[in-house]
Amino acid sequence: MQQAGLNFDQTENQKMIAQMVRDFADKHIRPKMMEWDEAQIFPVEVFKQLGELGLMGVLVPQEYGGSGFGYFEYITAIVELSKVCGSIGLSMAAHNSLCTGHILQFGNEEQKKRWLPKLATAEWIGAWGLTEANTGSDAMRMQCVAKQDGNDWVINGTKNWITHGITGNVAVVLARTGELLDSKGITAFVVERGTPGFKGGKKENKLGMRASETAELIFEDCRVPKENILGNVGEGFIQAMKVLDGGRISIASLSLGIAKGAFEAAVKYSKERHQFGQPISSFQGIAFKLADMATKIEAAELVTYEAADLKMRGKPMTKESAIAKYYASEVAVYASTEAVQIFGGYGYTKDFPVEKFYRDSKLCTIGEGTSEIQKLVISRAILKD
């Protein structure tokens, strides 16, 4: 670790947020989450309620209608939501860190005043468009282009795998404004729903995270005024990489919540389930699984908070956020897999919670940079040092 001053005691704010989210999730999410999951319903009303609680603009300063909290409070909120439902945690995280976060980090004063109050209160749901059908990790080959025409820019192309691609009221979109493979040839535009030539496309039918909407964004001669460019023309790719640094803390937190949810369910079940006249937790085969899960979750939590601490202090944290995202996401898959094993046959049914953690966890190792890309980021940072 790079610093000795990290305090692991939960602040009063964190305790308050954790309790508030737990109460909210028990009342408004747990009763309906399997129904949403089965039917792939994106429950917009839940996010409006989260907006009223200040959880859709956690990091946004109060002057723009947000909560003005830091990353520790943000992690706490995502973890508590994801312990109940990964889909809700994912959508809340994507809204906060990607769309809202990009405008917060790179918008000018006028742009912040225009969009952040609507996003921070969830009056508007946000989307963020970088990925395309043929350019996931290889973003510099994007085919979605924007060409200048007078005071406007005209966008043509498609974005894929976009959280809130259909429902989102506003999207930050990365489009190519220069040459292919030029890192200074990509620009970030804010496009509002209702802009002619902008629409949602195909909704993906996913293995997990099914209540978090994932869909295409389609642009056909979509005219956007130059006032909607974030930063300067050509800065989009550099901005996106910085946004993803923060986004990785979000996905690490999401992973941590899923891992904790699966672990807590497994501990509870292992004490209640009896075989051969005793609870299965008394068998070393099960107890050691729980010990391994607990150890890995604790380690994932530490690296996640370390990255958040660096982020809040304005220190470089590209390597640390990649480590947190990589490790925590793999731990989420590991913990949920072990939880299914501990539940046995019941773990494979939808009547018990762990099969959903198992399905939801896998996306954490893919979205916002695969585990392989995180290893690339980490290894480059190590070798550069």
Side-chain angles (χ1 to χ4, degrees):
M1 281 205 177
Q2 292 187 344
Q3 71 286 328
L6 200 49
N7 179 356
F8 297 109
D9 292 337
Q10 270 205 329
T11 63
E12 284 309 310
N13 276 339
Q14 280 176 280
K15 287 177 188 164
M16 180 191 76
I17 287 169
Q19 193 56 55
M20 177 178 80
V21 175
R22 276 198 288 270
D23 293 344
F24 178 84
D26 281 339
K27 190 175 173 187
H28 298 288
I29 298 172
R30 208 182 288 279
K32 290 272 192 75
M33 65 183 192
M34 289 312 288
E35 189 185 313
W36 298 332
D37 184 80
E38 293 280 311
Q40 291 212 100
I41 292 164
F42 175 61
V44 179
E45 70 285 354
V46 167
F47 295 95
K48 302 285 187 194
Q49 290 168 312
L50 287 172
E52 285 167 22
L53 295 178
L55 294 176
M56 296 298 270
V58 183
L59 303 164
V60 175
Q62 290 176 342
E63 64 192 280
Y64 305 117
S67 300
F69 285 131
Y71 265 83
F72 286 9
E73 289 87 355
Y74 179 50
I75 290 170
T76 302
I78 297 175
V79 166
E80 290 299 334
L81 280 175
S82 308
K83 273 164 71 171
V84 177
C85 178
S87 293
I88 306 298
L90 171 65
S91 274
M92 178 267 196
H95 172 95
N96 271 283
S97 74
L98 298 179
C99 180
T100 308
H102 197 142
I103 295 169
L104 179 62
Q105 211 171 338
F106 297 105
N108 59 35
E109 195 55 34
E110 199 180 309
Q111 290 168 331
K112 287 181 190 175
K113 283 182 176 151
R114 184 172 161 194
W115 290 304
L116 288 178
K118 288 179 174 167
L119 286 163
T121 55
E123 181 188 335
W124 281 14
I125 302 288
W128 192 75
L130 176 66
T131 306
E132 297 178 8
N134 296 313
T135 58
S137 304
D138 185 11
M140 282 200 289
R141 287 182 202 271
M142 68 172 59
Q143 300 298 312
C144 184
V145 295
K147 292 197 161 44
Q148 193 166 8
D149 181 21
N151 274 335
D152 294 341
W153 287 76
V154 182
I155 307 176
N156 278 290
T158 306
K159 295 289 175 182
N160 291 62
W161 302 106
I162 309 305
T163 305
H164 315 144
I166 293 167
T167 305
N169 305 89
V170 62
V172 174
V173 181
L174 286 301
R176 195 152 56 77
T177 49
E179 295 304 309
L180 206 61
L181 299 181
D182 177 8
S183 65
K184 293 188 175 65
I186 291 168
T187 303
F189 297 88
V190 181
V191 190
E192 295 183 12
R193 187 71 63 185
T195 305
F198 171 42
K199 63 180 182 183
K202 173 179 176 264
K203 182 171 170 175
E204 302 296 343
N205 185 5
K206 306 193 302 286
L207 167 74
M209 302 287 195
R210 289 171 59 83
S212 176
E213 178 186 277
T214 307
E216 290 177 319
L217 296 177
I218 299 169
F219 301 92
E220 292 166 343
D221 293 330
C222 176
R223 256 179 199 279
V224 180
K226 69 174 192 298
E227 289 76 28
N228 287 28
I229 290 175
L230 293 172
N232 296 313
V233 172
E235 290 177 351
F237 184 76
I238 315 298
Q239 291 175 5
M241 294 305 105
K242 288 182 177 162
V243 168
L244 285 173
D245 276 350
R248 284 170 184 152
I249 297 173
S250 300
I251 303 299
S253 310
L254 171 68
S255 305
L256 191 56
I258 290 171
K260 285 186 170 195
F263 171 71
E264 287 173 13
V267 169
K268 184 168 178 283
Y269 182 79
S270 73
K271 290 175 176 173
E272 292 167 356
R273 169 80 166 164
H274 282 65
Q275 293 284 277
F276 306 102
Q278 54 192 311
I280 62 170
S281 59
S282 63
F283 298 113
Q284 206 173 65
I286 300 297
F288 280 14
K289 280 188 190 298
L290 296 171
D292 281 336
M293 289 159 82
T295 303
K296 286 181 161 67
I297 288 168
E298 193 101 350
E301 191 157 30
L302 287 173
V303 291
T304 303
Y305 274 98
E306 184 195 11
D309 179 60
L310 289 170
K311 172 88 177 159
M312 286 198 298
R313 291 192 290 126
K315 302 268 195 246
M317 39 65 87
T318 299
K319 181 184 81 177
E320 288 76 9
S321 68
I323 287 173
K325 195 274 185 192
Y326 165 52
Y327 188 69
S329 66
E330 295 291 343
V331 168
V333 173
Y334 169 82
S336 56
T337 303
E338 290 291 70
V340 170
Q341 198 68 20
I342 289 167
F343 271 75
Y346 292 116
Y348 207 66
T349 70
K350 290 187 185 290
D351 296 330
F352 288 78
V354 290
E355 69 84 35
K356 184 173 181 300
F357 289 125
Y358 180 72
R359 286 184 293 109
D360 287 348
S361 67
K362 190 59 205 162
L363 183 70
C364 298
T365 68
I366 297 168
E368 288 195 40
T370 60
S371 288
E372 291 71 26
I373 287 291
Q374 305 311 321
K375 288 187 201 179
L376 193 68
V377 171
I378 297 160
S379 60
R380 279 180 181 166
I382 293 164
L383 297 169
K384 196 171 78 179
D385 292 344

